[in-house]
Amino acid sequence: MFIATLKAECELEVWDCLSAVSDPELDEPITDMDFVQSVEVSEDLFVRVEFRLPTYWCSPNFAFLMAFGIRSEVMALPWVRGMTVHLRDHCFGDEVNDGVNSGRPFHEIFAESCGGAVLNEVVETFMAKAFDRRQEALLLALRAEGRSDAAITAMTLAALKRVRFTGPEELRQLPRYLELLAVKGLAPGGDAPAFPTWDGERIAPDGLQAHMGRLRSTRINMEFNGALCRGLGATRYKEVAIGPEGPTLVDFIAGRVPPREATDAGR
Amino acid sequence: MYKTPDGKEIFVLDGHVHFWDGSPENQANVHGKQFIDCFYAYHTNLSPEDQLWEKAKFEKYSEEDIYRDLFVDGPDDMAIIQTTVLRDFYKEGFGCLERSHEMAKRHPERFIVNGSFDPRDGEKALEYIHWMKETFDIKGVKMYTAEWNGGSKGWALNDPAAYKCFELCDKLGIRNIHVHKGPTIIPLSKDAFSVDDVDYAATDFQNLNWIVEHCGLPRLDDFCWIATQETNVYAGLAVAMPFIHSRPRYFGEVMAELLWWVGEDKILFGSDYAIWTPQWLVEKFWNYQIPEDISAERSGVQLTDAIKEKILGLNAAKLYDVDVEAMKTQLAGAPVQIAAE
């Protein structure tokens, strides 16, 4: 018998696993961005996830990547018997939903729907950007500690793991950086340099300044998207009411993200 | 005219404003509704709270509204109206040349109205360019490479059909090509807002000025690289501007990159009215300095008063052959008219 507490536990487990899915353009977990709207587990252990993006116009290939990510993560939970993903309020919503729930290989659906784009290449492009951003956070922190460019470029993976970071951004990014190093095989042992480029090149001490200029450019682009996405996501379902105190923003969609009581009231 | 705290008068030529009708009556389908809703989210997200508008006014504002917001309450001396037709989304178009021209002719000294065309229309696009030149004597156009047209979800500036159009623009003296390269607000093949096509077009059409609106964000680095190679590529600040309020450090990083790579003579202010109004943007801009640590990363570039004056009006005036001193005198003789309400 599927009792309410078990259902709630299963749903929490799904929420947890969804934090492994990132917005590819922003390199932020979709759960932190409040994209996931609802998770439901049925008595026969089928999962239904609804998500929503900051605008109706968000690029469809990002929407596909997130939908694929949601499906992969949820299906990897051992108890899940099946699942469906539903993208809401999006100009490509039907295509994304039909594609991701069709059971066909992701690369086929992606190529068909995104003008022949090659899934692996797009994923790799975004991983490279995520790598730059995570690396920059650590490099900035190390420089702020007063370490020289020579010391930083010579630092090994083992030495990086011993650094006691204190700032929230570098603490958050360190495990995420190490994860990408491992995925790409960029630092094969403890004595390998901790800060290679994404292409596996070593950075010379006198090349660090230029390298960081490039990382900064990546971050400026990603932050533009990030700031817009967060903001647009926050105001997408709001309107202005002019009261005696002047204008204020009023939410006109009730019940977002858990705990979620109302369902799309007011829409 | 923006008057600085120490009394200096700064000529403001707002390089990017709209006169749109996004009202439900004009929406042709759900895309039209979602398009204006998305603009409204930009407005509500990045405006100071006391500058927020109600939805109905935002969807469709009047001729009096635009005149008052830009020139009476706002510091603009002149404004360039950009045309964005979106004919697949709106029955009578979203921001149309004819409607803008009707509005602007009440104050011809204040407005420059730019046209627009879609190269995918082939011969018709060429006829239309002739018609715009003959009827309205346009000096520039706004290009929206991500616009839908039938089955097509976008085009590139270096498509052969586009080149035919630009050849004609060159011949007719339509010299300013504003290109929307900005946040992804229309679904499209992933490259519809890539800035690479600007590189080709700017190289092949040296007589034309290529103003990249939203300075290519979120592809600022690609844009900067191209702009340093080409003498005829400019950065429009629409959409980058409001970050001055919500994320001032971030705004400083963008300005430092632009000043370093693109240079002070090739950056143009734009409010993107009615998404934002120029009054608060210009005031904050005049009082803004790039934080020192950010400036130090780019050899100490800074927004001096002289550079701000160029960005706010002088640079755009050069592109549109506006004689600033003569225009100041003319406008001083015809001060803003406040309509009786």
Side-chain angles (χ1 to χ4, degrees):
Chain A
M1 193 177 127
F2 191 70
I3 47 171
T5 49
L6 182 59
K7 177 177 156 76
E9 266 176 41
C10 287
E11 285 176 358
L12 267 183
E13 214 177 310
V14 173
W15 277 105
D16 281 348
C17 86
L18 290 177
S19 66
V21 182
S22 285
D23 178 321
E25 203 181 20
L26 311 176
D27 191 34
E28 300 285 354
I30 57 172
T31 44
D32 285 6
M33 297 297 294
D34 285 347
F35 291 172
V36 181
Q37 212 195 336
S38 73
V39 168
E40 271 178 43
V41 178
S42 68
E43 290 193 12
D44 48 359
L45 299 175
F46 275 79
V47 180
R48 174 189 173 89
V49 175
E50 282 192 23
F51 77 116
R52 197 178 256 180
L53 299 175
T55 80
Y56 181 78
W57 306 108
C58 293
S59 183
N61 42 5
F62 307 151
F64 271 109
L65 292 176
M66 284 181 261
F68 295 156
I70 291 170
R71 187 170 171 91
S72 304
E73 292 298 328
V74 173
M75 289 305 285
L77 294 173
W79 51 266
V80 172
R81 298 236 181 98
M83 74 100 49
T84 50
V85 183
H86 302 270
L87 172 61
R88 293 291 176 219
D89 296 347
H90 190 276
C91 60
F92 245 60
D94 292 345
E95 287 86 345
V96 170
N97 296 336
D98 291 349
V100 73
N101 296 320
S102 67
R104 292 167 48 217
F106 290 161
H107 69 267
E108 269 183 37
I109 303 163
F110 193 72
E112 227 172 76
S113 308
C114 300
V118 180
L119 182 59
N120 286 345
E121 286 174 11
V122 177
V123 170
E124 165 99 6
T125 306
F126 287 116
M127 274 170 72
K129 290 183 185 190
F131 179 81
D132 282 359
R133 184 161 195 196
R134 297 174 190 187
Q135 187 182 68
E136 192 206 18
L138 302 180
L139 292 174
L140 286 171
L142 293 171
R143 275 188 154 186
E145 282 182 3
R147 294 180 198 242
S148 70
D149 286 5
I152 293 172
T153 50
M155 183 177 273
T156 63
L157 181 63
L160 172 63
K161 287 179 177 172
R162 286 195 302 271
V163 175
R164 298 190 149 206
F165 288 106
T166 51
E169 181 61 7
E170 45 274 28
L171 283 172
R172 186 174 82 95
Q173 295 293 11
L174 177 63
R176 305 176 87 221
Y177 177 68
L178 295 176
E179 184 197 334
L180 277 185
L181 275 181
V183 167
K184 178 89 168 163
L186 282 171
D191 53 357
F195 297 109
T197 68
W198 180 248
D199 297 324
E201 304 291 325
R202 283 199 73 151
I203 301 164
D206 61 359
L208 185 63
Q209 184 67 22
H211 178 68
M212 290 193 68
R214 205 177 55 72
L215 301 186
R216 182 173 58 236
S217 301
T218 305
R219 175 172 51 80
I220 288 176
N221 291 339
M222 290 175 82
E223 268 191 49
F224 181 74
N225 291 322
L228 278 181
C229 289
R230 278 177 206 285
L232 295 176
T235 57
R236 180 171 181 189
Y237 296 101
K238 289 182 179 177
E239 281 191 17
V240 172
I242 311 249
E245 307 292 312
T248 47
L249 274 174
V250 180
D251 216 327
F252 69 91
I253 183 162
R256 315 216 20 217
V257 297
R260 190 161 177 274
E261 283 144 16
T263 49
D264 284 23
R267 285 280 287 158
Chain B
M1 191 71 67
Y2 175 71
K3 207 165 202 172
T4 69
D6 52 5
K8 191 168 179 221
E9 293 189 331
I10 304 298
F11 182 79
V12 179
L13 204 176
D14 193 334
H16 201 270
V17 309
H18 302 273
F19 186 57
W20 69 57
D21 178 0
S23 64
E25 295 71 35
N26 192 28
Q27 294 164 10
N29 49 35
V30 64
H31 304 309
K33 172 181 160 38
Q34 292 285 356
F35 190 86
I36 189 73
D37 282 0
C38 182
F39 268 27
Y40 190 61
Y42 273 79
H43 166 73
T44 51
N45 168 22
L46 292 173
S47 301
E49 191 164 270
D50 61 350
Q51 300 291 334
L52 292 173
W53 289 11
E54 285 175 301
K55 184 86 174 281
K57 179 185 173 189
F58 189 85
E59 286 170 341
K60 187 178 183 181
Y61 44 93
S62 68
E63 297 188 358
E64 287 73 28
D65 289 330
I66 187 172
Y67 184 79
R68 185 187 57 245
D69 292 335
L70 299 182
F71 309 116
V72 182
D73 296 345
D76 290 2
D77 290 287
M78 296 177 70
I80 303 171
I81 299 198
Q82 306 291 0
T83 291
T84 308
V85 181
L86 300 175
R87 61 187 160 192
D88 277 16
F89 297 176
Y90 292 94
K91 294 172 195 161
E92 303 294 327
F94 181 66
C96 287
L97 180 59
E98 294 91 332
R99 181 167 175 267
S100 297
H101 190 80
E102 269 308 297
M103 181 279 295
K105 74 182 186 192
R106 289 167 63 175
H107 309 283
E109 73 287 359
R110 295 277 178 190
F111 289 104
I112 295 166
V113 183
N114 278 349
S116 183
F117 58 83
D118 188 333
R120 291 167 296 188
D121 295 341
E123 280 301 317
K124 276 193 176 162
L126 299 173
E127 285 168 25
Y128 186 64
I129 294 168
H130 275 292
W131 178 80
M132 287 191 295
K133 183 68 191 175
E134 283 158 21
T135 315
F136 301 114
D137 192 24
I138 57 167
K139 305 278 191 297
V141 286
K142 172 79 184 288
M143 301 282 93
Y144 204 74
T145 53
E147 188 160 359
W148 290 7
N149 188 337
S152 162
K153 300 281 188 267
W155 56 280
L157 297 174
N158 56 332
D159 289 346
Y163 266 30
K164 283 194 179 157
C165 293
F166 296 134
E167 279 161 15
L168 181 58
C169 287
D170 193 359
K171 195 176 123 197
L172 297 179
I174 301 169
R175 286 179 39 223
N176 297 311
I177 318 291
H178 295 251
V179 189
H180 176 108
K181 293 288 183 187
T184 322
I185 51 168
I186 295 254
L188 36 106
S189 68
K190 67 188 154 89
D191 286 331
F193 285 141
S194 151
V195 290
D196 298 348
D197 55 345
V198 177
D199 204 0
Y200 294 104
T203 303
D204 291 334
F205 292 94
Q206 295 282 337
N207 288 333
L208 302 181
N209 303 310
W210 300 85
I211 302 107
V212 176
E213 297 297 350
H214 323 304
C215 46
L217 282 166
R219 292 156 203 88
L220 185 66
D221 49 345
D222 294 345
F223 166 69
C224 285
W225 182 245
I226 289 165
T228 50
Q229 319 285 313
E230 310 288 344
T231 53
N232 53 340
V233 172
Y234 295 76
L237 288 182
V239 181
M241 282 306 301
F243 283 94
I244 202 169
H245 164 67
S246 54
R247 295 168 70 97
R249 266 190 72 82
Y250 180 70
F251 181 75
E253 288 190 300
V254 172
M255 288 310 303
E257 295 296 304
L258 289 176
L259 287 170
W260 167 259
W261 292 104
V262 185
E264 64 192 63
D265 296 316
K266 294 165 71 185
I267 305 173
L268 273 56
F269 166 72
S271 65
D272 227 339
Y273 180 84
I275 307 183
W276 300 285
T277 45
Q279 180 266 327
W280 67 270
L281 289 172
V282 171
E283 192 173 302
K284 279 180 191 285
F285 183 68
W286 191 264
N287 293 311
Y288 184 84
Q289 289 285 284
I290 299 171
E292 272 187 25
D293 59 315
I294 294 172
S295 153
E297 289 286 322
R298 286 294 179 211
S299 303
V301 292
Q302 191 48 274
L303 285 166
T304 62
D305 285 2
I307 291 177
K308 286 173 183 164
E309 199 170 357
K310 286 184 181 179
I311 293 173
L312 284 173
L314 303 184
N315 291 342
K318 272 190 196 153
L319 295 185
Y320 281 85
D321 299 321
V322 173
D323 180 335
V324 172
E325 288 313 313
M327 186 53 73
K328 277 182 175 174
T329 312
Q330 185 190 341
L331 292 176
V336 288
Q337 304 150 11
I338 301 161
E341 290 191 34

